[in-house]
Amino acid sequence: ERSLCNDTNGLTLCFQDWNVTWYTPHPDLTQCFQHTVLVWFPCFYLWVCAPFYCLYLRFYDNGHISISSLCCAKTGLCLCLAFFGFLEMVYLLVERSRDIESHMVFLLSPIIRSLTMILAVLVIHLERLKGFRSSIFLFLFWTLAVICSLVPLRANIQAIIDEGFSADAMRFVAFFTFFSLQLAQLILSCFADQRPATLKPAFVKVQLVKGYRSPLKAEDLWSLREEDTSEKIICDLEKEWAKQEGAMNGAQALGYKLSEQTQLLRKLHKEQSSGFCLLRTLAKNFGPYFLTGTLYLVIQDVFMFSIPQVLSLLLGFVRDEDAPLWKGYVFAFLMVLLSCLQSLFNHQYMYTCFTVGMRVKTAVMGLVYRKSLVINSAARRTCTVGEIVNLVSADTQKLMDFVVYFNAVWVAPIEIALCLFFLWQRLGPSALAGIATVILIFPLNGFIAKMRSKLQVQMKYMDGRIKLMNEILSGIKILKFYAWENAFRERVLGYREKELNALKKSQILYSISIASFNSSTFLVDFTKIAFAMFGVYVLIDEKHVLDAEKVFVSMALINILKAPLSQLPFAMSTTMQVSVIEVWNAMNVDGVVIDNGTFSWSKDSTPCLRRIDVKVQRGSLVAVVGHVGSGKSSLLSAMLGEMEKKSGHVTVSGSVAYVPQQAWIQNATLKDNILFGCERKDSWYQKVLEACALLPDLEILPARDATEIGEKGLNLSGGQKQRVSLARAVYRKADIYLLDDPLSAVDAHVGQHIFEKVIGPNGVLKNKTRILVTHGLSFLPQADLILVMEDGEITEMGSYAELLSRKNTFADFVKAFSVSERKESATHRGNGDMGSASIQTMEAISDTEQEQDQEEVGRLTQADKAHTGRVKLEMYVDYFRTIGLAFIIPIIFLYAFQQAASLTYNYWLSLWADDPVVNGTQVNTDLKLGVFGALGFAQGIAVFGTTVAISLGGIIASRHLHLDLVNNVLHSPMSFFESTPSGNLLNRFSKEIDAIDCMIPDGLKMMLGYVFKLLEVCIIVLMATPFAGVIVLPLTLLYAFIQSFYVATSCQLRRLESVSRSPIYTHFNETVQGVSVIRAFGEQSRFILLANSRVDHNQTSYFPRFVATRWLAVNLEFLGNLLVLAAAILSVMGRSTLSPGIVGLAVSHSLQVTGILSWIVRAWTDVENNIVSVERVKEYAETTKEAPWTIEDSPLPSDWPRSGSIGFQEYGLQYRRGLDWALKEISLSVNEREKVGIVGRTGAGKSSLALGIFRILEAAKGKIFIDGINIAEVGLHELRSRITIIPQDPVLFSGSLRMNLDPFDGYTDEEVWRALELAHLKNFVSGLPDKLNHECSEGGENLSLGQRQLVCLARALLRKTKILVLDEATAAVDLETDNLIQSTIRTQFEDCTVLTIAHRLNTIMDYTRVIVMDRGHITEMDSPSNLISQRGQFYRMCREAGLV
């Protein structure tokens, strides 16, 4: 021992004495190695890594952890270990001083060890101060220390056995004590310390346990880490962007003070390749973190390629009967260790990728939202709400896939090259046959990938379908009034059919790709590559024999080859599909610039405002008048900067408030709509409510100003919406008010009140600059300046007196209309009770309801709710029933056949490998190769069959489910649409249907493939080592437990994520529609914060889901590695009875189990998570439906109604059970051809009559008869298609003008032109380039409001039914056009019964009868002249309107 490390051989002996270490039945390491490398290696790890770790801790602070018993125990043990080191040093100096002179290594080791323990104490306390509850850094140190002590432990035990304990008792006691303390430290490092005061629990296991015990709720989820929040991500992105922008031109001077974020986004258009600019910015921000993931991937690859080498050694050991048994055990354990390390690094890489993917998704959603706040009107016409919703749902998901698979693009070729290099080592030039096969397969798959990317038109059809659905949901009331549901249903199904056809072709191509590749999706062996390699190998030289080592190591390498070969096409197609550039450029439209002079709606269109020259004095009232379509609203848009400048200059000094012509109302409470993000000041708030005539409305609303208003103000009438919109602007106290005809939608007396209290010389805005677009005449004398517009030009300008004295167009116009309409500008539309829309909560509430909580009473919309618990079995049954047994039985049979072929094929290979070698050759090689090839071919055919069958089955199911969803939604009553946010419905039609289309079939393919593969592996392992059954059974139970643990939580997280996605869509939808108002009020930053919080809330449930998936995969792969260990160890133990072929077969297959197990659960979870989509789509089957559209064998005459008489018999109507009656016992008969006007104050019940006649609301009591037939016994479509309404809100759908007039194509072109002529639109339509095929944009935004109203009139003229209901239908048109319309109605509907809900009172003065309503009763009913003479309510209304 004295010559240890110091003789002639020196230190080299400790590494090179293989006789001691390897070539012996009792292996050991040299003493020198034990005292140096094994002691120093863990210490070296700690000292080298500690500085970097301390630097890392410096940047992370999770709060402070107080000293706990665990911390004390760890510190105490470390100090004991350090003390032991010093004791050993003293002992050596005293007892062994002579030895130390020649062996300094003895003294050096304890010193190093003691100093390292002191360093460990410092690290423990630094982690405690930084709030780190557990330490992977120290855990690795203690693990290394214990592993390195195992060799001396064995040596000491051996020494005690050989020499006895008393030989060196002191040394033995010291070593065992030291080892025990190290082991105790390792055990303690597995436990987490107490939580810092500032930290929320964020452990996956805690969440999984909670999710297993009871369904998770949103409040159980951890909040996002700061670095994952929208604010942090977008803030960092913008900083990076600012740097890139710095290299470009300086910021352009803008008239408005835009937020920094908006300015940054505005500048984007300067760089044409802004998509690449976006990619570059994303790469700079997320690149470094992504590269750490790439490092994990590289390390994982090192371990992955080591496993076949160890398998080769194990098979060599089985073949060599003289090899000592311990070597077999070393190879078995080494293989399992490498497999475990590969799993850990692989999942760490996946975790990093998913985190980056999530951040990229957040970034893109945030940027798209900010972009939607700055796009101009022209861009908004080309980029619809539906497309933006699709952008933030489907396209961002593709971007995440791109992040996850991006590394495969460059790593896969390297992995393929390495595989082929190792195969060359085994099989020589025959490996080139495998390369040739790959090269032949690649062009085919490249071609298929290209074909599939062409089939991305599926996305185009999906966009079209979602866009159309969004419009249907927006205009559902019009569809119901006109009975147009079927026409639009057919349009939706047309898109859907094209979408499914594209999907079907894409899936068949994918199946060909899979069959040609036998892709990893099914863990099917790469039969073609194996067949080519082995075939060439045995055929080129008959001396070439296939032994177990060659066969199964090659098969293990081919198995590795599967992953990169299958990922590469997927990665390439994902990269093709992710057009971030397209995502971005779709919305990359020029920002708006405020200028003056000449304006157009887009760069390329002709100017719609020319030679505009206006000077508005501060504090003055300017009125803008002109015919329909003369450019009045465009002038305001130009002042707002919403139009494209062509020339000139505009300055808008001061803050702006804007009231659009069509009021934009948020889905929020009435109070929130008025405050619009401002602080509430009670006295001013009350003053605004009073000035805007909203106090009477508050009395009617169930929860006063806490009542929730539906999307787009669904449960308010036109007048109420306009007054809320005006109140929002007035509350703002801005400097400049742009008012786009706000008085058109209100009653005469209300209009007068609003003008006097708000807009006029004595109103609350008297000192503000007011620009008022109006069709009224009576307000004009009080204006400081009047602008008269015609064809986009200001033809006259001056005060009222000046313009009259000039005796031009304006003076003639005033003269013609002032007699009949002295005060008629105030006498615009009667403000219908709750507008035709108020299906919900709009009448006075009963005593019982008043006792309810205000908030509950005022609630209207239902938030999307998540189901809880596991998905019900009936969901699976429903799904499979829609596919049908005819499809399911062949699918199962094909899978069984495919796996049977695979099993036979592998077993055949093992028999071949065990074939004895006679004279250096194997017999019947050709036959074996033929059978081998035939089995591989059979497998390929079965793979193609299964994938096609499942894809087609999935398409059948999704077609049925989508059809049911469309039918269920369209058959729902109006109340359903008021209480269901459109985001919820759009979520069903986009994300959920997409999941049913693609995710469920893909999940089923994977799951069935892996389940059958697992059966095959178990059969093979049990055939080789039947004793493995003892291990397989407990592993199966443990597996089932972990799986059920995970699926319960994962499924609930998926539901929570789905539910939290709907509000994002609703918010995007609302923002895009009200973007001009949001911009005018400068509220972008508040809306951005709202969007951030909704995106973050969604990611809060997404993040734990993918973390839980990683937790599951790691646990399952460790379970799988236990099976590998069992198979390997049992093979080593039974090598005398087992052949190398069967051992190779069993071990190489057991190595696949880790992957198979985690894929089964992943696939199962995907199926279960996505079957939630079936559950959510089927939800609407259970909601209440309206009455049937048609009644079979109906006795209804084909020409009903002939006369058009209407009778109400004690008719009563309620908006909701428990609410007061909207109509109370109305008894009334209207004779044929009679013209009846209906008038009354707000909430009188005027529009309720119209809703009752069309059965939008069903009668609560009494009956309505038309031509003597009770309408309750008639099908809804039969009723609604035989009577006509011109509604209050003119809704148009995107599509041709002709489609908007006649969606069923039931009329000839001549009839359509005649209707347009009568509606005074013929000249306008003739002037359009496409005439009747003129494409209307979403909501008809490329027509003015007046023109849209005239289109609605043309619809009525085309249908020409016996009963016409006018619901305040001419409010948005000027007086001259209104007169023309009234004369058209009088002549064209002379032989019809006309019910007019009063607008301008003069239009009903020549009607046969006028009905005056109040609080649901008819208070007066007679001819107009008689009612005036009675001096009742009607007389007072006429007096207010200046008619008497």
Side-chain angles (χ1 to χ4, degrees), residues 10 43 296 314 798 1244:
C43 302
Y296 294 132
L314 181 67

Side-chain angles (χ1 to χ4, degrees), residues 165-214:
F165 186 74
S166 53
D168 198 348
M170 185 77 175
R171 181 166 67 88
F172 292 144
V173 168
F175 176 80
F176 286 125
T177 310
F178 189 83
F179 181 79
S180 304
L181 290 174
Q182 277 189 330
L183 192 61
Q185 273 288 26
L186 176 61
I187 293 164
L188 287 181
S189 67
C190 296
F191 294 96
D193 211 333
Q194 62 196 34
R195 193 180 303 144
T198 55
L199 194 71
K200 273 188 81 175
F203 285 104
V204 187
K205 214 170 282 181
V206 173
Q207 192 117 60
L208 286 163
V209 170
K210 192 179 267 187
Y212 182 64
R213 287 178 181 158
S214 63

Side-chain angles (χ1 to χ4, degrees), residues 1013-1059:
K1013 185 69 190 173
L1014 185 63
L1015 278 174
E1016 181 196 339
V1017 172
C1018 288
I1019 291 167
I1020 286 172
V1021 171
L1022 290 170
M1023 272 167 53
T1025 53
F1027 195 64
V1030 177
I1031 289 133
V1032 168
L1033 189 65
L1035 280 183
T1036 309
L1037 295 173
L1038 197 55
Y1039 170 77
F1041 173 68
I1042 292 176
Q1043 188 261 3
S1044 64
F1045 214 85
Y1046 164 78
V1047 172
T1049 304
S1050 170
C1051 200
Q1052 196 58 20
L1053 285 170
R1054 167 75 167 77
R1055 284 172 171 147
L1056 289 170
E1057 193 213 342
S1058 279
V1059 164

Side-chain angles (χ1 to χ4, degrees), residues 148-351:
C148 290
S149 300
L150 288 175
V151 176
L153 176 71
R154 178 187 168 280
N156 279 300
I157 292 169
Q158 193 64 45
I160 291 169
I161 292 166
D162 295 344
E163 301 167 23
F165 186 74
S166 53
D168 198 348
M170 185 77 175
R171 181 166 67 88
F172 292 144
V173 168
F175 176 80
F176 286 125
T177 310
F178 189 83
F179 181 79
S180 304
L181 290 174
Q182 277 189 330
L183 192 61
Q185 273 288 26
L186 176 61
I187 293 164
L188 287 181
S189 67
C190 296
F191 294 96
D193 211 333
Q194 62 196 34
R195 193 180 303 144
T198 55
L199 194 71
K200 273 188 81 175
F203 285 104
V204 187
K205 214 170 282 181
V206 173
Q207 192 117 60
L208 286 163
V209 170
K210 192 179 267 187
Y212 182 64
R213 287 178 181 158
S214 63
L216 286 173
K217 300 185 187 71
E219 53 271 21
D220 295 327
L221 306 176
W222 343 301
S223 49
L224 283 177
R225 299 172 298 186
E226 192 202 351
E227 60 266 34
D228 292 329
T229 58
S230 297
E231 196 174 348
K232 175 87 173 90
I233 288 169
I234 304 254
C235 190
D236 291 350
L237 261 186
E238 280 165 352
K239 280 180 194 161
E240 185 57 47
W241 214 308
K243 284 181 199 166
Q244 294 198 24
E245 289 287 313
M248 297 171 158
N249 304 332
Q252 196 172 350
L254 293 169
Y256 281 108
K257 291 176 184 171
L258 295 171
S259 68
E260 273 181 54
Q261 296 166 332
T262 315
Q263 282 195 32
L264 276 171
L265 288 166
R266 288 253 172 128
K267 288 181 221 160
L268 283 177
H269 73 279
K270 291 179 196 167
E271 187 176 341
Q272 280 185 327
S273 58
S274 61
F276 290 109
C277 181
L278 172 69
L279 267 178
R280 196 162 62 236
T281 311
L282 290 173
K284 280 201 171 179
N285 267 52
F286 306 123
Y289 186 63
F290 184 69
L291 286 174
T292 60
T294 308
L295 179 66
Y296 294 132
L297 179 65
V298 171
I299 296 169
Q300 185 255 162
D301 274 4
V302 170
F303 291 129
M304 181 171 73
F305 280 106
S306 307
I307 293 170
Q309 309 309 318
V310 178
L311 177 64
S312 170
L313 294 171
L314 181 67
L315 293 174
F317 160 80
V318 173
R319 199 177 60 240
D320 180 4
E321 292 173 9
D322 300 330
L325 206 57
W326 65 266
K327 285 188 181 178
Y329 292 126
V330 167
F331 295 144
F333 279 105
L334 183 58
M335 196 157 60
V336 173
L337 178 67
L338 290 171
S339 200
C340 289
L341 289 169
Q342 184 203 338
S343 293
L344 280 174
F345 280 96
N346 180 35
H347 293 300
Q348 190 59 39
Y349 160 68
M350 293 300 278
Y351 168 78

Side-chain angles (χ1 to χ4, degrees), residues 637-880:
S637 295
M639 291 173 178
L640 281 170
E642 293 282 323
M643 294 183 74
E644 189 69 45
K645 71 152 187 176
K646 292 280 186 182
S647 64
H649 184 73
V650 166
T651 311
V652 179
S653 51
S655 57
V656 175
Y658 171 54
V659 180
Q661 192 171 10
Q662 267 192 304
W664 173 72
I665 305 292
Q666 279 186 282
N667 177 202
T669 63
L670 188 77
K671 180 173 66 198
D672 291 342
N673 267 291
I674 294 171
L675 299 180
F676 204 56
C678 291
E679 207 178 316
R680 176 169 175 163
K681 293 173 185 153
D682 275 333
S683 57
W684 176 238
Y685 181 67
Q686 288 305 321
K687 196 173 179 183
V688 169
L689 288 180
E690 197 276 324
C692 295
L694 280 166
L695 291 174
D697 298 292
L698 293 191
E699 300 302 322
I700 295 164
L701 298 173
R704 296 182 61 82
D705 62 357
T707 304
E708 188 188 357
I709 309 303
E711 277 184 76
K712 302 182 192 166
L714 259 174
N715 48 345
L716 296 181
S717 71
Q720 287 167 324
K721 282 192 277 193
Q722 200 57 274
R723 294 205 302 280
V724 171
S725 180
L726 183 65
R728 176 201 294 146
V730 175
Y731 190 82
R732 200 25 82 119
K733 290 187 176 173
D735 302 319
I736 297 161
Y737 281 84
L738 303 179
L739 310 169
D740 197 351
D741 205 9
L743 303 174
S744 67
V746 295
D747 280 349
H749 65 288
V750 178
Q752 195 64 41
H753 170 97
I754 287 175
F755 189 81
E756 285 166 10
K757 297 278 187 179
V758 180
I759 302 166
N762 303 314
V764 290
L765 302 180
K766 60 177 182 261
N767 299 320
K768 309 286 187 183
T769 308
R770 291 142 292 156
I771 298 167
L772 170 72
V773 169
T774 182
H775 288 132
L777 297 179
S778 65
F779 305 137
L780 299 182
Q782 300 178 62
D784 302 308
L785 179 69
I786 297 169
L787 308 178
V788 183
M789 296 204 67
E790 207 170 311
D791 289 333
E793 294 187 34
I794 296 175
T795 53
E796 294 182 72
M797 186 182 343
S799 68
Y800 187 72
E802 283 170 13
L803 292 178
L804 282 183
S805 63
R806 287 183 201 154
K807 297 189 175 168
N808 285 344
T809 325
F810 178 77
D812 299 342
F813 179 69
V814 169
K815 198 178 288 178
F817 288 98
S818 59
V819 182
S820 61
E821 310 235 352
R822 260 178 307 146
K823 287 173 86 174
E824 272 304 334
S825 69
T827 324
H828 288 72
R829 289 198 234 194
N831 176 27
D833 47 333
M834 303 322 339
S836 0
S838 46
I839 302 306
Q840 275 275 345
T841 54
M842 294 292 119
E843 295 291 324
I845 44 174
S846 61
D847 299 339
T848 52
E849 293 243 348
Q850 273 169 338
E851 291 161 17
Q852 287 178 23
D853 176 37
Q854 279 287 78
E855 203 175 301
E856 279 305 310
V857 174
R859 180 163 295 137
L860 172 71
T861 55
Q862 301 296 315
D864 222 352
K865 289 192 181 74
H867 291 259
T868 52
R870 293 288 289 268
V871 179
K872 294 192 187 93
L873 186 64
E874 66 198 62
M875 279 304 137
Y876 290 100
V877 173
D878 276 355
Y879 181 77
F880 290 121

Side-chain angles (χ1 to χ4, degrees), residues 1020-1286:
I1020 286 172
V1021 171
L1022 290 170
M1023 272 167 53
T1025 53
F1027 195 64
V1030 177
I1031 289 133
V1032 168
L1033 189 65
L1035 280 183
T1036 309
L1037 295 173
L1038 197 55
Y1039 170 77
F1041 173 68
I1042 292 176
Q1043 188 261 3
S1044 64
F1045 214 85
Y1046 164 78
V1047 172
T1049 304
S1050 170
C1051 200
Q1052 196 58 20
L1053 285 170
R1054 167 75 167 77
R1055 284 172 171 147
L1056 289 170
E1057 193 213 342
S1058 279
V1059 164
S1060 61
R1061 209 184 304 112
S1062 295
I1064 299 178
Y1065 300 165
T1066 305
H1067 185 65
F1068 268 67
N1069 212 330
E1070 205 165 62
T1071 303
V1072 175
Q1073 282 159 351
V1075 72
S1076 52
V1077 177
I1078 295 168
R1079 286 206 286 245
F1081 282 80
E1083 284 289 311
Q1084 292 99 317
S1085 54
R1086 182 167 68 88
F1087 276 77
I1088 282 171
L1089 283 175
L1090 266 171
N1092 282 358
S1093 71
R1094 290 182 181 196
V1095 170
D1096 286 352
H1097 182 54
N1098 179 238
Q1099 300 291 39
T1100 306
S1101 44
Y1102 173 76
F1103 181 68
R1105 189 155 72 87
F1106 82 71
V1107 172
T1109 308
R1110 302 274 70 80
W1111 173 89
L1112 167 89
V1114 169
N1115 279 291
L1116 288 187
E1117 292 193 11
F1118 275 110
L1119 271 188
N1121 286 326
L1122 288 177
L1123 187 66
V1124 176
L1125 184 64
I1129 294 229
L1130 289 169
S1131 299
V1132 169
M1133 286 164 71
R1135 70 167 170 171
S1136 54
T1137 56
L1138 295 173
S1139 68
I1142 203 78
V1143 168
L1145 184 64
V1147 175
S1148 65
H1149 270 68
S1150 67
L1151 278 170
Q1152 295 178 21
V1153 167
T1154 51
I1156 294 173
L1157 287 180
S1158 69
W1159 275 107
I1160 286 181
V1161 172
R1162 202 174 303 171
W1164 182 313
T1165 312
D1166 276 353
V1167 171
E1168 182 130 330
N1169 283 344
N1170 289 303
I1171 214 91
V1172 171
S1173 295
V1174 176
E1175 184 177 57
R1176 286 164 64 77
V1177 162
K1178 289 187 84 70
E1179 252 174 51
Y1180 294 134
E1182 283 126 43
T1183 53
T1184 50
K1185 301 288 176 282
E1186 56 187 3
W1189 287 347
T1190 52
I1191 293 172
E1192 284 183 34
D1193 307 323
S1194 167
L1196 202 63
S1198 59
D1199 58 349
W1200 176 85
R1202 282 186 198 140
S1203 61
S1205 63
I1206 307 171
F1208 290 82
Q1209 200 179 80
E1210 294 187 356
Y1211 184 75
L1213 199 63
Q1214 275 179 307
Y1215 284 110
R1216 200 174 63 185
R1217 270 194 179 169
L1219 294 185
D1220 264 5
W1221 295 86
L1223 294 175
K1224 301 168 190 169
E1225 300 196 0
I1226 301 283
S1227 289
L1228 157 74
S1229 67
V1230 179
N1231 302 322
E1232 59 183 275
R1233 301 179 63 178
E1234 197 174 1
K1235 310 290 181 277
V1236 179
I1238 304 166
V1239 298
R1241 310 273 181 187
T1242 297
K1246 305 187 297 292
S1247 290
S1248 303
L1249 275 178
L1251 295 177
I1253 292 171
F1254 281 85
R1255 284 177 63 195
I1256 298 291
L1257 280 180
E1258 295 290 358
K1261 61 184 282 192
K1263 296 168 184 169
I1264 299 178
F1265 294 94
I1266 294 180
D1267 277 10
I1269 292 177
N1270 182 354
I1271 62 167
E1273 294 164 5
V1274 176
L1276 287 181
H1277 277 187
E1278 290 162 339
L1279 168 69
R1280 292 170 186 170
S1281 61
R1282 310 279 181 97
I1283 57 179
T1284 302
I1285 187 168
I1286 302 180

